[in-house]
Amino acid sequence: MSTPERLIESTRELLWERGYVGTSPRAIQQRAGVGQGSMYHHFAGKPDLALAAVRRTAEELRATAEVLLAGPGTSLERISAYLLRERDVLRGCPIGRLAQDPDVMADPALRRPVEETFDWLRGRIAGVLAEGRERGELSPGLDAATTASAVVAVLQGGYVLARAAGDSAPFRQAVEGVLALLAAHATDRP
């Protein structure tokens, strides 16, 4: 892994673990195994490096979601595949954690990729739901946009509940609950 890659990956991990304030340039350098000169050779400073890390995290979340949401199956099967995928639930969602970090949210540049990722995810799920409605898989009265927002909110809330309990069970219950609500809108047609 190149020096810039090690710096970005180290920053991503530290942001997820400690938040923006707790992610010092020294901690980044130590985790990446590079000196101060190497860090500042590749990045203007902590804000520049943090932005690269946040963007990378956002890109990876989108890519992972897209594989499952664009996969085979009905709209409900694809959304189920996304919601039920393997996750480190107790660590939380890396993008969701960034959205809870006041320092990230106070910086428009750092906030933008977080906001864009949630907008994209809601839009992508809404598209899958609308497709299912058009195919006759879901009831015609299902509002794709509001339902997609609810799905994302349940997912993020599930992470919070699981972290608060120190147990992944509340996350699984939240996901199972939203999937049951979606299944209630399924029609008899495949």
Side-chain angles (χ1 to χ4, degrees):
M1 193 182 294
S2 70
T3 299
E5 288 299 312
R6 286 198 323 266
L7 286 163
I8 290 170
E9 288 305 310
S10 295
T11 304
R12 289 178 63 201
E13 292 168 10
L14 288 165
L15 286 171
W16 198 0
E17 293 168 12
R18 302 179 184 182
Y20 187 79
V21 169
T23 301
S24 69
R26 183 162 177 76
I28 295 167
Q29 293 161 21
Q30 286 178 334
R31 178 137 335 163
V34 303
Q36 183 176 354
S38 292
M39 182 174 144
Y40 290 104
H41 172 73
H42 296 288
F43 297 95
K46 177 181 165 180
D48 185 40
L49 183 50
L51 181 58
V54 171
R55 284 182 176 153
R56 173 77 54 81
T57 298
E59 289 166 7
E60 284 188 10
L61 185 141
R62 288 182 189 194
T64 299
E66 182 59 27
V67 165
L68 297 167
L69 294 171
T74 67
S75 58
L76 288 182
E77 288 168 344
R78 291 166 23 216
I79 290 171
S80 293
Y82 171 67
L83 293 175
L84 296 171
R85 76 174 175 79
E86 188 69 31
R87 305 165 191 267
D88 189 352
V89 172
L90 295 180
R91 280 192 79 194
C93 171
I95 293 294
R97 298 277 298 268
L98 290 168
Q100 295 173 30
D101 188 319
D103 296 293
V104 171
M105 292 296 96
D107 182 322
L110 293 175
R111 179 188 181 130
R112 190 170 303 111
V114 173
E115 184 178 7
E116 289 171 352
T117 299
F118 280 125
D119 287 346
W120 176 86
L121 184 58
R122 285 192 313 270
R124 187 64 180 97
I125 291 172
V128 172
L129 291 169
E131 182 184 316
R133 194 180 54 215
E134 291 164 13
R135 288 183 182 172
E137 299 166 358
L138 298 170
S139 63
L142 179 76
D143 184 304
T146 59
T147 303
S149 288
V151 169
V152 173
V154 166
L155 183 65
Q156 291 302 311
Y159 280 119
V160 171
L161 294 173
R163 285 179 56 82
D167 184 357
S168 61
F171 178 88
R172 285 192 311 274
Q173 290 170 337
V175 167
E176 289 169 5
V178 78
L179 289 174
L181 292 170
L182 288 172
H185 287 277
T187 63
D188 293 340
R189 292 182 275 173

